[in-house]
Amino acid sequence: VGEARVQPQLETDGLDLPERWILSRFSRVAAEVTAQLEVFRFDEACRTLYHFFWGELCDWYIELSKPALTGVAKRPRVGEVLLTVLERSLRMLHPVMPFLTEELWQRLPHEGDSISLCPYPEEDATLIDVAAEREVALLMDIVTRVRNIRAELNIDPGRRLRLLYHPHDDSATAAIRADRTRIESLARLESFEEVESLEGRGAIARAVASGVDLGVPLEGILDLNSERRRLGREIERLEREKEGHARKLAKPEFVKKARPDVVEKTRRICSELEGRIDRLRHTLSSLG
């Protein structure tokens, strides 16, 4: 982050989309966590903190920051935003992770003797940016769908793919065009083409994101016959596994005698397996 420092206040004027997004998300999370702590829902507070810190900050925002931090793409004040959100996040985490957060906070540029003496972060309504949250949510959804296609079809994570997309409305079109470079980088694409329809384009792996149909052409990437056989075997394996859990749930004595958390876990596993089976069937059907 060079000479960047933690800032006591941040103005959103002049900031690019990723910075406006992470500041907006941080402000919302601060409000959510405070509300959860006030009613002693420590479990919900920890879950909210975990998903924000690990998912949105450490996964998505750091990834979005790399081009600016490495000099590939210029964006103002990225280092300041990153350090400031990190420092405030450590303060939010401090009540449940006191020793680790203190150690990390001491290594940041800071003022004061201890993180425990710093004020707890609060919501800042001036940082809320609904449009930025909606646009980045679409970006994340598209990239996640492409990554899922790679995983389900065992495509090399480093291989650049073609991606076809058909937006459902003007807002999705505008957002995708504005974020085209970021999507290409995060999804590792060699081309990203808007089309009128995905029909009649040969074997493609399809997915649906928020307001847009996606298709990855597979010709030259996979042995389609081998992939059909592999997916068929995987679907059969998952169906057998799901049936085993479903048989347990169909037994009244299991539901009655087993601990509630065990019954709930079995139901959750069944639901997750059904979701995986549906996705694989959808992928298999797209191979023709």
Side-chain angles (χ1 to χ4, degrees):
V1 295
E3 299 300 317
R5 291 292 181 267
V6 175
Q7 301 298 309
Q9 293 291 330
L10 278 170
E11 300 293 334
T12 58
D13 292 344
L15 294 181
D16 206 343
L17 173 68
E19 285 66 60
R20 300 196 311 274
W21 167 73
I22 196 64
L23 289 171
S24 182
R25 289 298 305 136
F26 177 84
S27 186
R28 287 191 189 277
V29 168
E32 291 171 19
V33 171
T34 297
Q36 291 157 351
L37 292 177
E38 286 176 346
V39 294
F40 307 106
R41 289 308 308 265
F42 303 121
D43 57 332
E44 293 293 337
C46 289
R47 187 175 296 111
T48 301
L49 287 166
Y50 170 80
H51 286 296
F52 171 75
F53 190 83
W54 182 245
E56 293 178 296
L57 176 57
C58 292
D59 184 357
W60 287 101
Y61 184 63
I62 287 180
E63 195 68 26
L64 287 164
S65 298
K66 286 179 181 177
L69 295 173
T70 57
V72 174
K74 292 185 178 180
R75 292 208 313 263
R77 296 156 51 201
V78 175
E80 289 182 2
V81 172
L82 180 56
L83 278 181
T84 302
V85 174
L86 173 59
E87 192 269 345
R88 293 181 185 180
S89 298
L90 292 176
R91 282 194 261 154
M92 277 206 301
L93 284 163
H94 184 65
V96 293
M97 301 179 70
F99 303 108
L100 181 57
T101 50
E102 180 74 62
E103 176 70 20
L104 293 174
W105 186 83
Q106 292 291 347
R107 298 182 184 213
L108 292 178
H110 66 272
E111 295 182 2
D113 296 326
S114 171
I115 190 175
S116 63
L117 301 177
C118 296
Y120 198 73
E122 297 179 349
E123 178 186 19
D124 182 348
T126 66
L127 298 178
I128 299 297
D129 190 326
V130 176
E133 291 190 39
R134 183 166 52 244
E135 188 171 336
V136 173
L138 175 59
L139 178 154
M140 292 163 61
D141 197 8
I142 292 173
V143 173
T144 298
R145 302 292 177 179
V146 175
R147 290 174 176 175
N148 288 343
I149 288 173
R150 286 184 186 274
E152 289 168 2
L153 296 177
N154 287 335
I155 298 173
D156 181 356
R159 179 163 189 163
R160 293 198 172 271
L161 303 174
R162 292 175 57 210
L163 181 61
L164 310 176
Y165 72 95
H166 171 65
H168 298 174
D169 51 52
D170 292 341
S171 62
T173 301
I176 291 171
R177 288 176 179 175
D179 295 326
R180 181 186 186 91
T181 301
R182 295 188 182 103
I183 294 171
E184 287 177 337
S185 174
L186 292 170
R188 297 194 66 80
L189 303 177
E190 68 175 15
S191 65
F192 189 24
E193 179 184 353
E194 183 177 344
V195 295
E196 289 295 325
S197 171
L198 296 178
E199 301 302 326
R201 295 183 175 273
I204 59 173
R206 298 191 184 199
V208 179
S210 305
V212 57
D213 298 326
L214 305 170
V216 175
L218 299 173
E219 185 176 355
I221 294 177
L222 296 174
D223 181 329
L224 296 180
N225 289 329
S226 296
E227 192 57 28
R228 291 188 193 100
R229 289 192 294 270
R230 187 190 71 80
L231 289 172
R233 291 194 298 269
E234 181 65 8
I235 290 170
E236 290 175 0
R237 184 187 71 79
L238 293 175
E239 285 179 333
R240 288 194 298 271
E241 186 176 345
K242 190 194 78 169
E243 287 170 4
H245 292 289
R247 282 195 297 270
K248 280 186 181 180
L249 293 171
K251 295 178 181 178
E253 60 270 23
F254 171 76
V255 176
K256 183 177 180 180
K257 295 180 180 179
R259 295 199 317 271
D261 62 308
V262 173
V263 176
E264 181 57 33
K265 181 179 179 181
T266 305
R267 288 197 177 105
R268 187 174 66 252
I269 291 173
C270 261
S271 177
E272 290 171 354
L273 288 170
E274 185 63 39
R276 289 174 62 188
I277 290 167
D278 287 344
R279 288 195 299 273
L280 291 178
R281 282 176 175 159
H282 181 74
T283 301
L284 180 59
S285 68
S286 71
L287 300 183

